[in-house]
Amino acid sequence: MSRPRAALRRRIFPVGIAPIALLASCQAPAPGSPVIGGPARTAGAAQAAQAAPTPSLVTEAERTGFQRTGRYAEVERLCPAFEQAYPGRARCIRFGTTPEGRPMLAIAASDDGALDPAAARAKRRPVILFQGGIHAGEIDGKDGGFWALRELLDGAMAPGALAATTALFVPVFNVDGHERFRRNQRPNQRGPEEMGFRTTGQNLNLNRDYMKAEAPEMRAMLALLDAWDPVVQVDLHATDGAKFQHDVAVIVEPSAPHPGGLDAAARELSEALQARLSALGHLPLPFYPSFREDDDPASGISAKPGPPRYSQSYGAARNRVGVLVETHSWATHAARVRAVHDLLAALFERAAAGAGALRAAADRADAAAARLAGAPFALTHRAGPVPRIFPFRGYAYEKRASEISGGTWTRYDESRPEIWRVPLFDRIEPDLTVTAPAAGYVVPAAHAAWVADKLRLHGVRYERLPEARPGVAVEAFRADAVAYEPSFEGRTPVKLKGAFRPERQDLPAGSLFVPIAQPRAPLVMHLLEPLAPDSLVAWGFFNAAFERKEYMEAYVAEEEARRMLAADPALRAEFEARLRDPAFAKDAKARLDFFYQRHPSWDERVNLVPVFRVAASP
């Protein structure tokens, strides 16, 4: 590069950043070069494509020295432009439509035409999906992803990677949020000048929606995941929080033990990415840099894995490697885009040499998950109580009394780098562990239609009972206590106390049987176990089951209670024992309810979760 251009780079960009437009070639293959795979073309169409001018693949971010990012119209322009610039090696895909009517777009890239799910499956081609803009204000993934994809196709990044894998790039997941575009969306982030918003047009956070799958955008994404089945799923964010020197965090899941040893493959990938990013001049972290107490580095950091409402943990629940990338919001947009680019370079360099190992690891996890029947499975994990000290690169800071908030105010001094000795709680232990049912789960017919819709979205196999099955031996979960939580993501979550106990239940025709013997068994348990934090129960889909719909008036209960006491000495003894509890003794409603719940008119379905476990296929 000439000196004037080098001077330009030093003047506009921070260390390590160069104008992408000056670094990457955008030219299409030479006329007459063979096109392998992809849709067939007529000779006339091929000649027209060769004669057409090469479209510009330069982004608004590049044109403005990373001061701005493009509107969604840029994605709509670049998606077909990549297909035109790299015929037979790139394909623009529309995989959904947002509630506001915008197209959801992805670009597939492969050196040998494995540009649709069928072609990738036929070649047993590992697919690596990377997505930007799930939170549309955190838009580094879009700009860095376009840069990386162009270099992959030009051979400037990870030569051979697209012969070993198919890349699938979603520039912006939250499209409608992206177009809620203005300044000052994220006051705790440096650039770009304008950006989109965190949530969708329906005010849903897509990175809380993977399990409940209510947003139309998420339903489209789950269909894309099910069709392409990526072995690695990368979600590109910018993090919030304290000011510190580390510029990127890369969290790879599963980090806890997983069927088939998938956690070992994830750990190996994590170590490789950390090493490569360090070699490229970054200060990476392998955990999410959020303190256990806000604004207090001394409180430490917990590295426990999150529930599958989050992208990286959802990937793990599907027996695939999930990667969460968090560039640091206080770095400039240019530096964050560079971090995204270099992370993708490190990933595809690794894939070029080890794509087959990633495919094999996913296959082993699928096979092991299908054999989980009767085995313990951890649905949640906690960080152990004993930390290790981690040398965290921060800045000098002080806490002052604030006349504004009346509390304390943390002020960071970015001119004074420091090493913080932070307690890191990264020894992961199982928390909520369940035993997988011997055969599977049954959902009664009344809930079969909507539950089946959720299962289909997640690629879970199920069967419908062709006829009624009376008196089936099941395990049923009856809630002993029900606690509703504040509204969250448009739902009323619920926490239950209780356990599965043996019962017999009549199963109507049309009920669903969900076998545990399938590769998606971990996902099945996350969806259907009532105590799992992201289950359909926990998200409030079954809340009507915890509501009383019939009543006994107090004067009737008084009469019935006397008859019941006269007829049943054991009941009288039980009632008298309860009266020794002062709170119960002075609660007239609770005393009458004691008899109503033991009366033949009591609705036995109250607090009965309509999901049963079975030891044999019904």
Side-chain angles (χ1 to χ4, degrees), residues 399-411:
K399 289 183 177 291
R400 297 180 177 179
S402 170
E403 71 279 14
I404 303 297
S405 67
T408 57
W409 173 28
T410 303
R411 295 197 65 187

Side-chain angles (χ1 to χ4, degrees), residues 92 101 193 569:
C92 180
E193 290 176 358

Side-chain angles (χ1 to χ4, degrees), residues 241-263:
K243 291 183 177 180
F244 46 75
Q245 301 172 56
H246 296 281
D247 62 331
V248 61
V250 183
I251 300 92
V252 183
E253 297 293 351
S255 55
H258 194 88
L262 185 63
D263 52 299

Side-chain angles (χ1 to χ4, degrees), residues 533-550:
D534 279 331
S535 67
L536 298 176
V537 172
W539 274 108
F541 286 96
F542 290 108
N543 279 0
F546 313 123
E547 301 171 3
R548 293 189 190 183
K549 303 297 185 180
E550 193 55 87

Side-chain angles (χ1 to χ4, degrees), residues 4-21:
R5 288 186 176 180
L8 174 67
R9 181 172 71 243
R10 287 194 296 270
R11 187 168 64 249
I12 297 178
F13 297 87
V15 174
I17 301 292
I20 300 174

Side-chain angles (χ1 to χ4, degrees), residues 31 38 55 90 92 98 134 161 168 182 188 201 331 407 426 436 545:
C92 180
T98 72
I134 190 172
L168 186 62
R182 65 183 178 91
N188 52 339
D426 64 348

